[in-house]
């Protein structure tokens, strides 16, 4: 059996991540250095790259005797970053040693600042663990090369999990927590851009005791920021229109839907930053001020999707009937800057049939008088 000695210099030095990728306890490792190399953060990315640098010394760990399954798992994980194994000689306390290392493909990434493992663990460790779990769940059913374009979405889903750690108040509702829910066993689900998690579970009952075991599925989506642009000087709101796949698959003959500006919150991004970014991308708008409307689940009975809703105060002059969206995300968006009263008519007629937009317009109705006076 062929065994491999591997030099690790980046995120896989974080033991919890290495164990998640390997699917087993971390093997013993020894400190090592790769001469004439240095480690930097990849520009615009939450992971490192190693670069030739005369006189440099890249710090890392040497894992000896990895079997073929371990190397195959690491190959699958690293392929999503565009990294391949190369032969090198590293320095250890016992002298030089032959090893292999994952090197970025030429031109794949550009170097930013020197790599800081502790800083990365603090900001990106938990997010990367969640993303790695999704990557490794697809080993054997998806091509390693496909992981690269999915990684930002895996990170966004993991970030949603981190943001969920601060619950809403529990003043009226029960003080029970997830400690009062027991997952009995997983069942086959689905892993794609979205996930369907299937389990058998039980939970504590209001009257005491436990429920009977029950099979349940959950649609695992993302946290989203939504913005209703509003110009209090002209008393206009901006709606966007685009084709939506839910109405298509429901059988709705008119699947073009009026909605607020909306988009996924990227990993590490605040809901406010995502709202401002989406306003620029979808509507070519610079928001002057964000007012929080609500933070709420879209459909908690079966979905993790979570909405962060804002009113965006801005100047809407010249924004009616424009087109927007990103070609890279296959967006084809039309803008409608309309008087607030017209928006209320569309709510009452049912032409606005996206619940978040209805809620946001009705919220604006309760604050509109004050906003108009201040303008």
């Amino acid at each position: 059996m062929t065994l491999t000695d591997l030099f690790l210099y980046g995120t896989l030095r974080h033991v919890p991540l290495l164990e998640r990728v390997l699917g087993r306890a971390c093997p013993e490792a020894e400190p090592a250095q790769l001469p004439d190399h240095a480690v930097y953060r990849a520009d615009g990315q939450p992971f490192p790259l190693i670069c030739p640098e005369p006189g440099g010394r890249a710090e890392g760990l040497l894992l000896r005797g990895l079997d073929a399954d371990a190397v195959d798992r690491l190959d699958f994980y690293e392929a999503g970053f565009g990294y391949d194994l190369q032969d090198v000689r590293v320095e250890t306390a016992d002298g030089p040693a032959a090893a292999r290392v994952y090197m970025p493909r030429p031109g794949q990434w550009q170097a930013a600042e020197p790599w800081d493992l502790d800083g990365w663990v603090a900001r990106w460790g938990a997010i990367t663990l969640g993303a790695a779990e999704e990557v490794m769940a697809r080993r054997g059913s998806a091509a390693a090369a496909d992981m690269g374009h999915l990684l930002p979405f895996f990170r966004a889903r993991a970030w949603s999990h981190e943001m969920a750690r601060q619950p809403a108040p529990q003043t009226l509702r029960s003080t029970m927590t997830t400690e009062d829910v027991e997952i009995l066993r997983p069942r086959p689900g689905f892993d794609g851009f979205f996930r369907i998690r299937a389990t058998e579970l039980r939970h504590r009952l209001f009257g005491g005791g436990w429920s009977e075991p029950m099979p349940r599925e959950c649609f695992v989506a993302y946290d989203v920021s939504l913005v209703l642009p509003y110009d209090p000087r002209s008393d206009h709101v901006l709606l966007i229109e685009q084709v939506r796949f839910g109405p298509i698959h429901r059988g709705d003959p008119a699947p073009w839907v009026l909605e607020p500006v909306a988009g996924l919150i990227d990993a590490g991004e605040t809901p406010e930053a995502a709202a401002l970014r989406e306003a620029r991308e979808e509507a070519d708008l610079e928001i002057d001020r964000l007012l929080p409307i609500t933070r709420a689940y879209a459909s908690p009975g079966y979905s993790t999707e979570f909405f962060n809703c804002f009113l965006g105060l801005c100047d809407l002059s010249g924004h009616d009937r424009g087109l927007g969206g990103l070609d890279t995300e296959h967006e084809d968006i039309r803008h409608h800057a309309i008087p607030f009263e017209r928006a209320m008519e569309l709510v009452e007629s049912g032409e606005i049939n996206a619940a978040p937009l209805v809620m946001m317009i009705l919220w604006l109705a309760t604050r509109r008088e004050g906003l108009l006076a201040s303008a």
Side-chain angles (χ1 to χ4, degrees), residues 64 75 143 172 218 257 364 370:
R64 296 184 187 268
D75 284 349
L172 175 62
C218 182
V257 179
L364 173 56

Side-chain angles (χ1 to χ4, degrees), residues 281-345:
E281 292 177 359
E282 291 193 352
D284 194 26
L285 274 176
E286 291 296 332
I287 300 296
D288 298 323
R289 182 182 169 200
L290 286 173
L291 301 180
I293 295 177
T294 192
R295 300 174 67 249
Y297 286 97
S299 187
Y302 70 91
S303 174
T304 69
E305 188 169 33
F306 192 82
F307 289 164
N308 298 267
C309 301
F310 300 93
L311 187 75
L313 302 181
C314 60
D315 179 3
L316 289 178
S317 57
H319 279 82
D320 189 30
R321 297 284 176 168
L323 301 178
L326 296 179
D327 292 340
T328 55
E329 296 183 10
H330 308 287
E331 293 177 330
D332 180 44
I333 294 172
R334 183 165 64 160
H335 309 143
H336 300 276
I338 60 175
F340 174 81
E341 294 296 347
R342 175 61 174 148
M344 287 295 292
E345 291 173 0

Side-chain angles (χ1 to χ4, degrees), residues 173-187:
R173 58 195 183 122
S174 167
T175 58
M176 288 190 285
T177 71
T178 49
E179 296 296 320
D180 300 294
V181 179
E182 184 179 359
I183 304 296
L184 302 175
R185 65 181 181 90
R187 299 186 296 117

